Amino acid sequence: MAGQSTQRPRVGAPERIFNGFRRILAPNPSPMTYHGTNTYLVGTRDIAVIDPGPPEQSHLDAILGALTAEQRISHILVTHSHVDHSPLAMTLAQITDARVHGFGPSNAGRASVMKGLDALDGGEGVDETFLPDVTLKDGDVISGTNWDLVAIHTPGHMGNHLCFAWEKKNILLSGDMVMDWATSMVSPPDGHLTDFMTSLETLQARPEKTYYPGHGGPVEDPPARLSELLSHRKIRERQILNKLGRGAMTPGTLTAEIYTDVDPKLWPAAERNVLAHLIDLHTRGLVSSAGKISPTARFAKI
């Protein structure tokens, strides 16, 4: 897009993408967040802040410092309530009197199959205090001066995940659903692979030409990226079913069998991915579980 920088953004410095659309990079780089969380500012007078990010004073100062005398923060939108996206929302709301918009608290939209797995840490920090002032549902429109954003419920990475479509600009704020630098983590009980695949298919039916994700640079070819993400998951599914064709296995055993080219230090995260696939396959009637679904249960191909 015109005006989009190809360079790595500087932490805390508002980056103009085009008139009325800016990005501020939060100071929280990590293997999970890449360079850090992208906070987006939409509007030229009424400003919507999308994903305020972690509770860092310097990031709060950067957001407030990006406003001109004629601007005010009128809306705070949260794609989902992982700790790298939502915690600063409450503080920002208290300072600006803007209301926080989101799908619901951190357990909203969670698949019923995840009941009983609540004691399993999802692998990514969850903002358990998140409670939006305005609860959004799929298709709701949030409006300010010269902008309208459509909420699209896209569960999978997390049950309360939303994307926001700026239809007039033909762009999508895709949160952690679709990123160009990595595949999204889908980790039970917060993440549900069945929902994730459905959400990718939902986005395939939409017309947006560019995605702006919660981490990393823009996705310039969404159809190709969506197809790639779906294909990646289907390949992993076939690997799991092929291994289970030799006999019942636990998620841990499957991980060691499949991720032979990965540092064993990374196997715990990979095992979460395998468990997500097994839950999906169980939901679809393709595998069975010896007893209650759990990280230590033995799964067999049906």
Side-chain angles (χ1 to χ4, degrees), residues 112-182:
S112 58
V113 70
M114 297 302 171
K115 291 180 180 177
L117 292 178
D118 289 342
L120 178 64
D121 175 16
E124 291 188 73
V126 172
D127 181 2
E128 299 290 358
T129 67
F130 181 70
L131 187 64
D133 303 306
V134 179
T135 301
L136 299 172
K137 61 181 183 299
D138 186 66
D140 281 350
V141 180
I142 310 97
S143 300
T145 304
N146 297 323
W147 58 263
D148 300 285
L149 298 173
V150 181
I152 305 165
H153 186 214
T154 48
H157 174 69
M158 194 168 183
N160 70 350
H161 195 287
L162 293 168
C163 294
F164 295 101
W166 195 353
E167 294 180 332
K168 185 177 180 181
K169 301 294 186 180
N170 212 13
I171 67 175
L172 185 82
L173 296 154
S174 60
D176 281 4
M177 264 299 301
V178 182
M179 301 176 287
D180 216 23
W181 65 281

Side-chain angles (χ1 to χ4, degrees), residues 25-302:
L25 181 65
N28 61 332
S30 76
M32 297 297 298
T33 63
Y34 199 36
H35 298 318
T37 300
N38 293 325
T39 295
Y40 294 101
L41 276 59
V42 170
T44 54
R45 291 184 63 85
D46 292 341
I47 305 297
V49 177
I50 293 90
D51 283 349
E56 297 285 346
Q57 183 64 46
S58 62
H59 193 52
L60 174 63
D61 292 343
I63 294 170
L64 296 175
L67 304 177
T68 68
E70 296 78 24
Q71 294 175 337
R72 70 181 183 103
I73 294 175
S74 59
H75 300 73
I76 301 168
L77 279 58
V78 174
T79 61
H80 65 293
S81 53
H82 278 143
V83 294
D84 53 324
H85 289 260
S86 63
L88 197 58
M90 183 178 296
T91 302
L92 193 62
Q94 291 171 344
I95 293 172
T96 64
D97 290 329
R99 294 193 294 175
V100 178
H101 297 61
F103 183 79
S106 290
N107 61 356
R110 180 178 289 183
S112 58
V113 70
M114 297 302 171
K115 291 180 180 177
L117 292 178
D118 289 342
L120 178 64
D121 175 16
E124 291 188 73
V126 172
D127 181 2
E128 299 290 358
T129 67
F130 181 70
L131 187 64
D133 303 306
V134 179
T135 301
L136 299 172
K137 61 181 183 299
D138 186 66
D140 281 350
V141 180
I142 310 97
S143 300
T145 304
N146 297 323
W147 58 263
D148 300 285
L149 298 173
V150 181
I152 305 165
H153 186 214
T154 48
H157 174 69
M158 194 168 183
N160 70 350
H161 195 287
L162 293 168
C163 294
F164 295 101
W166 195 353
E167 294 180 332
K168 185 177 180 181
K169 301 294 186 180
N170 212 13
I171 67 175
L172 185 82
L173 296 154
S174 60
D176 281 4
M177 264 299 301
V178 182
M179 301 176 287
D180 216 23
W181 65 281
T183 58
S184 298
M185 186 173 183
V186 180
S187 180
D190 307 312
H192 183 33
L193 188 60
T194 309
D195 286 348
F196 183 79
M197 299 291 275
T198 299
S199 292
L200 290 177
E201 291 169 354
T202 295
L203 294 180
Q204 279 187 316
R206 295 194 57 86
E208 285 78 29
K209 299 298 185 184
T210 308
Y211 290 2
Y212 287 90
H215 310 280
V219 179
E220 301 286 6
D221 189 350
R225 184 57 174 157
L226 290 167
S227 295
E228 184 180 22
L229 292 173
L230 285 163
S231 176
H232 170 76
R233 297 290 178 175
K234 290 174 182 177
I235 289 170
R236 188 68 73 203
E237 174 184 299
R238 288 196 294 270
Q239 289 178 316
I240 290 171
L241 288 173
N242 287 339
K243 294 294 183 181
L244 290 180
R246 293 164 29 199
M249 297 185 189
T250 65
T253 302
L254 278 166
T255 301
E257 289 271 342
I258 293 171
Y259 289 86
T260 56
D261 58 344
V262 173
D263 187 336
K265 292 179 181 178
L266 300 177
W267 282 3
E271 187 174 335
R272 287 303 182 87
N273 183 54
V274 170
L275 178 61
H277 273 281
L278 289 168
I279 293 172
D280 171 63
L281 291 166
H282 189 277
T283 301
R284 293 157 54 200
L286 297 176
V287 304
S288 62
S289 170
K292 186 177 178 181
I293 291 176
S294 76
T296 57
R298 290 176 64 81
F299 291 83
K301 185 177 179 181
I302 295 177

